[in-house]
Amino acid sequence: MGIRFNQVSHGYTSFADGLYTAIKDISFEISDKNEFIALVGHTGSGKSTLAKHMNALIFPTSGTLEIFGKTITSKRDKKIKYNDIRKKVGLVFQFPEYQLFEETVEKDIMFGPMNFKISKEEAKALAKESLNLVGLDDSYLTRNPYNLSGGEKKRVSIAGILAMNPDILVLDEPTSGLDPAGRRVLMDLFKDIHDKTKKSVIIITHDMDLVYQYFNRVLVMNEGHLIFDGDPEKLFREKDLFKNHLDYPNTIKVLDYLNKSLGINLDIYKRTIEEALLEIKGAEKL
Amino acid sequence: MSYIEIQKLSYSYNEKTNVLDDINIDIEKGEWIAVLGHNGSGKSTLAKTLVGLLEPKTGDITIDGITLGEETAYEIRKKIGIVFQNPDNQFVGVTVKDDIAFGMENLCVPREEMLEKINFYAKKVNMLDFLDKEPATLSGGQKQRVAIAGILAMQSDIIIFDEATSMLDPYSKEELIQYIKTLHKDGLTIIMITHDINEALLADRILVMNKGKVFAFQETEKIMKDKETFTSSNLELPVALELANSLAQDDKFKEIRDKLWEYALTK
């Protein structure tokens, strides 16, 4: 077992509104391997708060978490080495530029591993390996992270987390701000890392096309509650996503429009353009 | 003479490569232009040179007959406002009210008039109930609307949206898009930089940037028929049009194709 939430709630105090409960009574489990999970929900639904609990970056206000056998409560426990938890569960924030601070890409990637008592040579080797894993060549090692494009910065920050060799990888909107091609390259990369290493990967996203095409488990947050945990297609069939301030994948929306405007009866649950095309071409009544 | 004229515009961050390379475009008053392009194609750099945040290496930008330069920058900035990608990076006020006032304060608008305008434009962007709220209590979409109110209050009539919806959830995104539609109806000139092809379809014309150059600049419907422009610029067509194009050979699917086009251009 990797991470288990037991009735976790988390509240923030704000000057204007007093206590604000970001996540409420959340219970679910993430296995320590083989998971590829999408986490979705409207802005302010509690996604990021949930993610920050996963490596004990923040503690629950009430309820408990078990992360690789360690029990996390609202109070800091002197017996728990939180650093070990953060090594096991790597978290990549939404704005990678906030995470890069060294003068070269190599030093930046080495920073994490160096905190875990390994030699400089080992850290260097890890940096190179992780950099290549995210699709950047060795020439990037000596470059200044500040002069990289947004997409490159994202990759370097992801390499920094990979270099720590976490068992579970949590990524907060890793594809936002990228063009569609860049988005797919990055998603393919995560899927590839997952397939090769069997690491569990949790990705926060708003992109339902990606959710449908890449994931077999989706968690949906709404106003602090976990309202769905399961297969994406089941979600699209059963929940009124618009009510939850979410959207449907484009293939479903387009096929549904054809059905309604032409009075035909296509199966709208198609993941890809190719599948949708086959459905249209194979339809008997047009 | 067009409202916005860009002639022979080039820009580079270093000596080697031009991020913008010989851009020549005209934009009419009241037009809605979408700018598409892969990451690093020069879209945001173009926006920043337009508002005078970056100084072009060569070339001229003329807005409403005034050519952008050191002496006219102040005049031109009043006409043109920009809404950035990250709502948190542009909220300068302590409250919504302060934030809308910020631009007007720089223009030395008298207090009475300023208060009137704050109320007027807050109402216009549907944020009147939030005037005394702090930014931390607002959603991304609400922050973007406050930014728009601040721009409108300066009487700007050109607004650039630099991926302004890309960090919003689908609901807030739709809300902002609906709002941009009303701005367009009110006669404002809209320049919308986006990665969202469905969003771009709402524009009158689409500008496709590729490696710092203008790759194509045409009416939306026309450009959408040209699959080549998209594939060679590393862009994807909307799902409905991908399907329509793939069905193009066969008369049997004419009705479906028409509906797919209808969907793409109206939804």
Side-chain angles (χ1 to χ4, degrees):
Chain A
M1 202 263 307
I3 304 173
R4 181 191 283 152
F5 282 69
N6 303 312
Q7 296 178 301
V8 170
S9 296
H10 189 97
Y12 293 107
T13 317
S14 117
F15 290 112
D17 300 324
L19 187 70
Y20 168 78
T21 311
I23 59 172
K24 298 162 189 163
D25 198 23
I26 305 278
S27 301
F28 71 101
E29 277 183 43
I30 297 167
S31 168
D32 58 352
K33 52 177 163 306
N34 286 320
E35 298 250 35
F36 203 67
I37 304 174
L39 174 55
V40 304
H42 61 86
T43 315
S45 63
K47 301 183 300 292
S48 295
T49 304
L50 192 69
K52 284 178 196 157
H53 280 85
M54 291 179 188
N55 73 345
L57 197 59
I58 55 176
F59 297 158
T61 313
S62 68
T64 59
L65 267 123
E66 280 166 54
I67 309 177
F68 287 97
K70 300 279 189 292
T71 304
I72 311 293
T73 65
S74 59
K75 290 198 177 61
R76 181 171 278 275
D77 182 344
K78 279 184 185 148
K79 282 184 264 137
I80 296 177
K81 288 180 180 151
Y82 292 96
N83 237 1
D84 287 351
I85 292 176
R86 283 164 204 145
K87 186 180 184 305
K88 284 197 155 80
V89 184
L91 181 63
V92 180
F93 290 96
Q94 192 176 356
F95 303 106
E97 54 270 40
Y98 297 170
Q99 272 175 303
L100 302 174
F101 58 93
E102 290 281 10
E103 67 228 52
T104 68
V105 166
E106 183 179 44
K107 279 190 185 171
D108 214 289
I109 302 176
M110 281 167 64
F111 180 81
M114 290 293 282
N115 277 334
F116 299 115
K117 292 177 185 145
I118 60 167
S119 74
K120 209 172 172 184
E121 280 61 42
E122 278 176 284
K124 274 195 171 184
L126 272 172
K128 193 166 139 22
E129 195 184 316
S130 319
L131 189 71
N132 296 342
L133 204 54
V134 298
L136 296 175
D137 62 49
D138 294 355
S139 72
Y140 280 85
L141 287 170
T142 53
R143 289 180 62 180
N144 185 324
Y146 292 94
N147 296 334
L148 303 178
S149 75
E152 289 166 340
K153 279 183 190 167
K154 269 184 211 288
R155 283 159 187 261
V156 170
S157 67
I158 293 161
I161 299 292
L162 286 175
M164 294 195 276
N165 196 21
D167 293 301
I168 297 181
L169 194 59
V170 185
L171 302 132
D172 194 351
E173 295 195 42
T175 61
S176 75
L178 293 180
D179 58 37
R183 223 172 286 162
R184 280 185 197 288
V185 169
L186 214 53
M187 280 305 300
D188 287 342
L189 175 81
F190 298 139
K191 190 86 175 98
D192 196 41
I193 291 171
H194 166 78
D195 290 345
K196 276 186 191 146
T197 63
K198 305 296 172 212
K199 284 182 200 302
S200 285
V201 178
I202 297 124
I203 295 177
I204 297 182
T205 180
H206 286 309
D207 191 327
M208 288 300 180
D209 288 348
L210 297 182
V211 170
Y212 202 10
Q213 285 162 18
Y214 284 90
F215 297 89
N216 46 31
R217 182 178 175 192
V218 57
L219 304 172
V220 184
M221 293 293 292
N222 188 38
E223 287 173 9
H225 294 284
L226 178 65
I227 60 158
F228 185 89
D229 177 358
D231 177 57
E233 190 161 310
K234 190 163 179 278
L235 170 72
F236 303 138
R237 282 181 190 270
E238 288 176 6
K239 288 266 177 194
D240 184 347
L241 293 185
F242 292 127
K243 255 194 208 154
N244 294 310
H245 288 189
L246 294 170
D247 207 351
Y248 288 90
N250 276 301
T251 43
I252 291 182
K253 284 197 290 186
V254 171
L255 291 171
D256 188 48
Y257 182 76
L258 289 178
N259 275 352
K260 284 185 177 136
S261 59
L262 292 168
I264 52 176
N265 199 13
L266 301 168
D267 177 8
I268 61 173
Y269 297 102
K270 299 293 166 196
R271 271 170 223 269
T272 61
I273 292 177
E274 291 71 29
E275 282 179 35
L277 196 60
L278 283 175
E279 176 67 17
I280 294 172
K281 282 185 173 166
E284 281 173 22
K285 182 177 164 274
L286 283 174
Chain B
M1 186 171 212
S2 298
Y3 199 53
I4 303 173
E5 294 189 351
I6 300 173
Q7 285 164 337
K8 295 185 177 159
L9 181 72
S10 293
Y11 182 84
S12 69
Y13 289 101
N14 55 40
E15 294 303 308
K16 281 179 253 167
T17 43
N18 279 345
V19 182
L20 294 176
D21 193 3
D22 195 26
I23 308 282
N24 294 283
I25 46 176
D26 292 341
I27 295 170
E28 305 303 328
K29 198 179 169 95
E31 258 197 305
W32 181 342
I33 304 294
V35 186
L36 288 170
H38 56 87
N39 283 116
S41 61
K43 304 183 301 292
S44 292
T45 309
L46 178 65
K48 284 180 191 151
T49 52
L50 266 176
V51 292
L53 281 174
L54 294 175
E55 197 186 336
K57 192 165 89 176
T58 57
D60 286 321
I61 295 168
T62 307
I63 295 173
D64 197 11
I66 306 166
T67 300
L68 180 64
E70 215 168 298
E71 269 157 34
T72 56
Y74 190 73
E75 193 68 23
I76 285 200
R77 279 193 193 133
K78 273 196 283 188
K79 290 189 175 299
I80 187 162
I82 185 162
V83 180
F84 292 104
Q85 180 179 26
N86 188 345
D88 291 322
N89 289 354
Q90 61 195 345
F91 209 105
V92 289
V94 180
T95 63
V96 168
K97 200 193 263 177
D98 287 343
D99 198 70
I100 299 176
F102 181 76
M104 289 191 283
E105 283 170 347
N106 289 332
L107 297 177
C108 304
V109 175
R111 185 177 160 79
E112 282 306 305
E113 192 187 330
M114 202 187 291
L115 289 173
E116 228 170 81
K117 279 188 173 166
I118 289 170
N119 278 311
F120 181 80
Y121 289 105
K123 197 174 169 193
K124 223 170 151 59
V125 297
N126 212 3
M127 288 296 290
L128 196 56
D129 297 338
F130 296 86
L131 279 181
D132 295 314
K133 293 270 185 191
E134 311 156 36
T137 64
L138 305 179
S139 73
Q142 289 171 332
K143 284 177 201 162
Q144 298 297 55
R145 294 214 302 273
V146 172
I148 294 171
I151 292 169
L152 294 176
M154 294 171 70
Q155 314 291 310
S156 305
D157 64 356
I158 304 165
I159 302 189
I160 301 177
F161 293 91
D162 189 357
E163 292 182 42
T165 64
S166 75
M167 286 182 47
L168 304 181
D169 64 60
Y171 180 83
S172 317
K173 196 171 187 168
E174 183 55 29
E175 228 178 28
L176 188 64
I177 292 292
Q178 289 307 326
Y179 192 68
I180 296 173
K181 282 184 187 169
T182 67
L183 293 176
H184 180 55
K185 271 200 197 108
D186 290 348
L188 270 85
T189 307
I190 311 281
I191 300 174
M192 190 164 74
I193 295 168
T194 181
H195 284 311
D196 186 332
I197 188 76
N198 293 311
E199 230 170 77
L201 287 170
L202 298 165
D204 301 315
R205 283 197 288 166
I206 293 179
L207 171 69
V208 177
M209 300 280 296
N210 191 351
K211 291 178 189 151
K213 289 186 199 293
V214 173
F215 191 78
F217 190 24
Q218 279 179 321
E219 285 73 33
T220 301
E221 222 175 309
K222 209 166 158 192
I223 208 164
M224 285 298 159
K225 290 199 168 125
D226 178 18
K227 194 179 174 178
E228 191 52 31
T229 300
F230 284 82
T231 47
S232 55
S233 300
N234 223 357
L235 296 170
E236 284 175 4
L237 275 174
V239 169
L241 296 188
E242 276 291 353
L243 290 171
N245 282 336
S246 304
L247 295 167
Q249 315 297 338
D250 204 330
D251 274 350
K252 186 177 151 199
F253 298 115
K254 187 178 179 308
E255 213 181 354
I256 294 237
R257 276 202 309 275
D258 291 347
K259 284 293 167 194
L260 287 168
W261 271 95
E262 186 180 289
Y263 179 88
L265 294 175
T266 56
K267 294 278 159 177

